[in-house]
Amino acid sequence: MSTAVDIAGPSSPDRAHSSAKIPNEPLRPSLKRSSHPYSLSHYISTPSPGVDVKGLIQPSPTQQRAAQPAHTKPRRAPSWPDMWESPSGLHLAHAAELLMRAGLLALTPGDGEGGGSGPEEEEEDSSGCGTDFQPFLGAWFPFSPALFPLAGFQMGGGHWRSAAMGAEGIEGLVAEGYSPSSLGASNGGRRKRKRCGECVPCRRQTNCEQCSSCRNRKRGHQICKYRKCEELKRKPGGPGFESRVSGFDLRGLWFIEIFRSCV
DNA sequence: CTGAACGTTAGT
DNA sequence: ACTAACGTTCAG
């Protein structure tokens, strides 16, 4: 199965006559940085035979018990609800929960007091698992580990944590080249959003030169319709709007698919 | 509701 | 300064 994205567009000759000034790869540097040879679909469709994914991911009975929501705490960041949901139903939170059940992820509560409700549990859970999984993650995920802060995860104490997109998450974004202003954190959210660089339209490299936007570029000031970022098409603040990293959809699906096939 | 036009922002 | 393109407004 090819991971090639149909960047040719529905009705557009992908001619190379796109205006020379149009950047061919308008991706964020952090997105371009990924040099991993394999794609998500590669891992989903053909799990590496050399790696016992199940063994790494399947929760031990102890872990399962430890993860039982006996006193289910809200795992969602109170101030970033949208970040955990996506319009397509691909819930990163779901994936995160799966991770947690598998003992591969420890949630950092909002206050971030360190051990959370059960320092002992955490020690139990992370024994061997986290440290084993860490290099595994590095090899497993095509996107740079540096992207984890984007998804609300951070490294801490030898295993991955969910920072619930608190201050750490913002730091991660900043580290990735997002300025607070570009995140809409200031000026009442009237800042320009940036294209995600990951969706099909974003990955398209040429203008069709046929759509109204292309033909009317002078006055329209709009990017080619077939290159219009899917994320930017959504209304800011609308349902499922993910203001910063549109890859959440992909990653959420990714996690879920991986766990579906492995657990 | 959709698309065109324009103002504005952001990168070079 | 110039260009690309996002956000907003408005006409149809």
Side-chain angles (χ1 to χ4, degrees):
Chain A
M1 180 200 289
S2 161
T3 60
V5 176
D6 174 22
I7 57 174
S11 65
S12 66
D14 213 359
R15 280 171 287 180
H17 72 224
S18 63
S19 41
K21 294 285 189 165
I22 304 278
N24 273 349
E25 287 194 357
L27 305 182
R28 296 192 297 267
S30 61
L31 294 174
K32 284 195 284 188
R33 223 179 291 148
S34 172
S35 58
H36 200 277
Y38 301 121
S39 65
L40 160 63
S41 54
H42 170 88
Y43 291 106
I44 292 176
S45 58
T46 60
S48 169
V51 182
D52 182 5
V53 177
K54 257 187 185 167
L56 279 168
I57 295 179
Q58 213 147 40
S60 70
T62 317
Q63 287 164 344
Q64 269 182 322
R65 235 178 298 121
Q68 283 297 323
H71 45 283
T72 314
K73 288 178 298 185
R75 287 182 160 138
R76 299 174 53 150
S79 52
W80 294 94
D82 289 344
M83 215 201 66
W84 291 93
E85 293 180 353
S86 72
S88 51
L90 309 175
H91 288 222
L92 184 60
H94 183 193
E97 180 144 358
L98 287 168
L99 273 174
M100 283 184 285
R101 283 185 191 170
L104 299 173
L105 183 71
L107 255 189
T108 304
D111 316 302
E113 54 187 278
S117 63
E120 287 170 341
E121 280 179 9
E122 189 174 319
E123 265 181 63
E124 239 184 35
D125 287 355
S126 62
S127 63
C129 200
T131 46
D132 286 344
F133 194 64
Q134 181 181 328
F136 184 57
L137 270 177
W140 218 32
F141 286 80
F143 57 81
S144 158
L147 283 173
F148 267 76
L150 292 179
F153 297 109
Q154 63 172 351
M155 275 294 288
H159 56 271
W160 293 96
R161 289 174 173 277
S162 165
M165 218 48 191
E168 299 91 341
I170 294 294
E171 278 175 27
L173 290 169
V174 172
E176 282 294 312
Y178 292 83
S179 66
S181 60
S182 72
L183 298 177
S186 65
N187 208 3
R190 279 197 60 168
R191 297 290 84 181
K192 274 188 175 182
R193 291 176 293 159
K194 290 181 182 176
R195 43 202 323 226
C196 70
E198 292 179 350
C199 63
V200 171
C202 279
R203 293 171 67 177
R204 196 186 151 92
Q205 295 185 351
T206 57
N207 297 320
C208 71
E209 304 294 352
Q210 292 180 343
C211 68
S212 56
S213 296
C214 284
R215 286 177 305 183
N216 197 24
R217 177 159 293 117
K218 265 286 189 290
R219 283 198 288 189
H221 302 174
Q222 288 295 313
I223 192 171
C224 170
K225 282 182 177 177
Y226 300 116
R227 297 181 66 206
K228 182 74 174 181
C229 176
E230 296 288 352
E231 195 65 34
L232 294 178
K233 286 178 187 171
R234 296 182 194 144
K235 264 211 152 60
F241 170 67
E242 288 153 3
S243 58
R244 287 166 290 180
V245 183
S246 65
F248 282 134
D249 262 9
L250 261 184
R251 287 167 204 153
L253 175 62
W254 192 354
F255 278 121
I256 291 167
E257 284 302 321
I258 286 169
F259 280 98
R260 263 199 203 127
S261 61
C262 297
V263 178

